[in-house]
Amino acid sequence: MPDAARFGRLPWLWLSVLVFVLDQASKLFFENSLSLYQQIVVIPDYFSWTLAYNKGAAFSFLASESGWQRWFFAAIAVVVSAVLVVWLKRLKAHETWLALALALVLGGAIGNLFDRVVYGHVIDFILVHWQNRWYFPAFNLADSAITLGAILLALDMFKPQKSGEPAHD
């Protein structure tokens, strides 16, 4: 069995590792550079660095619960990560776009999983706002990788199939 067939697109795990390392390094930097909720304005009225903790999921979903959500979201991340690795392994050589998307989502999921397990919360530091009237919830590089990967997954669904190429099931 050739290596490409045996390992699928697992070599794309390098990107997941890169996302994880950059995510953790950036979180460590901001954790050591800012106090909680301190803001450093980068682009006035639009973009700031700030340190925030999220005990919930996206948009602080379930953040005010008693702590069970930490392990619930960690378990979901473990299951999703395992599914993504298996999916990567099963991809064909021509499915590069999909491999890129899955690797980004996997790297981000593992980055936030690490935070949940080690710190009990996810460290966020990117704040997008509009003239101090509207604020998007703070996020991090892991969240950005997950979002970009999800967008690429959605776009992959609409990518025309080449003749002779099997459709995604």
Side-chain angles (χ1 to χ4, degrees), residues 34 84 92:
L34 298 174
L84 293 175
K92 306 295 182 232

PDB file of all heavy atoms in Angstrom, residues 34 84 92:
ATOM      1  N   LEU A  34      -0.743  41.851  29.627  1.00  0.00           N
ATOM      2  CA  LEU A  34      -1.916  42.657  29.963  1.00  0.00           C
ATOM      3  C   LEU A  34      -2.558  42.155  31.254  1.00  0.00           C
ATOM      4  O   LEU A  34      -2.471  40.972  31.574  1.00  0.00           O
ATOM      5  CB  LEU A  34      -2.959  42.569  28.840  1.00  0.00           C
ATOM      6  CG  LEU A  34      -2.568  43.074  27.462  1.00  0.00           C
ATOM      7  CD1 LEU A  34      -3.669  42.775  26.448  1.00  0.00           C
ATOM      8  CD2 LEU A  34      -2.268  44.555  27.496  1.00  0.00           C
ATOM      9  N   LEU A  84     -11.773  14.598  13.141  1.00  0.00           N
ATOM     10  CA  LEU A  84     -11.022  15.347  12.127  1.00  0.00           C
ATOM     11  C   LEU A  84      -9.760  14.599  11.702  1.00  0.00           C
ATOM     12  O   LEU A  84      -9.409  14.591  10.515  1.00  0.00           O
ATOM     13  CB  LEU A  84     -10.676  16.742  12.642  1.00  0.00           C
ATOM     14  CG  LEU A  84     -11.869  17.685  12.849  1.00  0.00           C
ATOM     15  CD1 LEU A  84     -11.416  18.993  13.484  1.00  0.00           C
ATOM     16  CD2 LEU A  84     -12.605  17.941  11.552  1.00  0.00           C
ATOM     17  N   LYS A  92      -8.471  11.827  -0.019  1.00  0.00           N
ATOM     18  CA  LYS A  92      -7.714  11.447  -1.212  1.00  0.00           C
ATOM     19  C   LYS A  92      -6.700  12.540  -1.550  1.00  0.00           C
ATOM     20  O   LYS A  92      -6.815  13.675  -1.084  1.00  0.00           O
ATOM     21  CB  LYS A  92      -8.663  11.237  -2.403  1.00  0.00           C
ATOM     22  CG  LYS A  92      -9.782  10.258  -2.137  1.00  0.00           C
ATOM     23  CD  LYS A  92      -9.239   8.859  -1.916  1.00  0.00           C
ATOM     24  CE  LYS A  92     -10.372   7.881  -1.703  1.00  0.00           C
ATOM     25  NZ  LYS A  92     -10.245   7.078  -0.531  1.00  0.00           N
TER      26      LYS A  92
END
